[in-house]
Amino acid sequence: MIRARGRDSVALGEKEGQPVVDRCVVDPWERQDSESRQAFEAFAVYRDLGPARSVTKVARELGKSRTLLGRWSRQYAWVMRAAAFDREQDRLFLAEQAQARREIARRHAKLAQAVQSKAVARLQALDPRELSPSDLLRYIQVAAEIERRAVGEAPAVAGAAADEQGAGVAALTDEDRRARMEQLRRELERRLSEDAQ
């Protein structure tokens, strides 16, 4: 059987593959073929009341007999139809949320690319000789972290790595520190030139 999203649905006919309109399949929350206009209008009020819906509330709102509405409710399966409507509304809401998340992710990716291109341009304009040793070290740490994440490695443990590097740098003589900084500067320049290519 074909599930329709409206009063009419199109199915392939048995003769020569010609389209045939099937007018019997409707969504449960729509007016059913045997349902009167008044019964459907009462159902629509019931359906639209949401989780707190009741036949009594519909009777009060429409000024109709509770007995009549109870009969329509049983005859036209209001509880089941309203539950189907609620599920469809939830499905639509979740689809809208997923679409909104995709749009946000696209927007954030474009923003990140723009910021990244500005940062790379600024970084390439820097003269590494004008950077302080701590600036140079921080650039290298950030670059290494970005590289590590780009290949799927876990981020470095900030506290342990910083402590190890800090203790190692503190133990160096001034001359060794300068030599290490020069080595780090050359490494940064190499990475920047590789990124520029």
Side-chain angles (χ1 to χ4, degrees):
M1 181 178 245
I2 295 173
R3 179 139 173 86
R5 288 282 172 223
R7 200 163 252 314
D8 297 337
S9 65
V10 177
L12 289 180
E14 293 185 21
K15 289 186 179 181
E16 303 171 13
Q18 295 298 316
V20 173
V21 175
D22 178 0
R23 297 189 186 279
C24 298
V25 181
V26 294
D27 286 319
W29 52 86
E30 295 178 351
R31 184 175 170 194
Q32 304 300 297
D33 288 335
S34 62
E35 191 172 27
S36 70
R37 185 181 54 77
Q38 294 87 358
F40 176 71
E41 287 172 0
F43 166 71
V45 169
Y46 176 82
R47 176 196 67 201
D48 295 343
L49 284 173
R53 60 178 66 99
S54 73
V55 172
T56 302
K57 288 180 183 178
V58 176
R60 201 174 310 129
E61 186 169 325
L62 296 178
K64 292 197 179 280
S65 158
R66 165 76 176 80
T67 304
L68 172 65
L69 295 179
R71 186 172 63 241
W72 283 348
S73 173
R74 287 185 300 280
Q75 182 179 356
Y76 297 112
W78 284 9
V79 173
M80 182 276 304
R81 291 169 65 196
F85 178 77
D86 291 344
R87 284 190 303 275
E88 178 65 4
Q89 294 304 302
D90 288 345
R91 185 191 68 76
L92 293 171
F93 179 72
L94 292 174
E96 288 172 7
Q97 279 187 322
Q99 180 61 32
R101 282 192 300 272
R102 285 189 292 273
E103 289 171 8
I104 289 168
R106 281 188 205 102
R107 204 169 52 243
H108 286 182
K110 285 180 182 178
L111 178 62
Q113 287 173 341
V115 169
Q116 187 180 31
S117 68
K118 296 284 185 189
V120 168
R122 176 72 176 113
L123 191 59
Q124 289 172 341
L126 286 177
D127 182 355
R129 292 179 298 260
E130 295 177 5
L131 295 174
S132 71
S134 62
D135 288 341
L136 189 57
L137 184 58
R138 180 69 185 136
Y139 279 121
I140 291 171
Q141 287 173 331
V142 169
E145 185 66 26
I146 291 169
E147 190 174 37
R148 200 176 3 265
R149 288 178 185 235
V151 296
E153 288 185 22
V157 179
D163 289 345
E164 287 175 20
Q165 289 174 350
V169 170
L172 296 175
T173 65
D174 286 343
E175 187 176 318
D176 290 338
R177 238 185 249 131
R178 281 189 205 94
R180 178 70 177 134
M181 293 312 292
E182 181 61 27
Q183 177 188 7
L184 292 173
R185 183 188 62 75
R186 284 193 305 271
E187 176 66 18
L188 181 59
E189 285 176 339
R190 182 188 63 77
R191 288 186 183 196
L192 287 174
S193 68
E194 286 175 1
D195 288 344
Q197 295 175 1

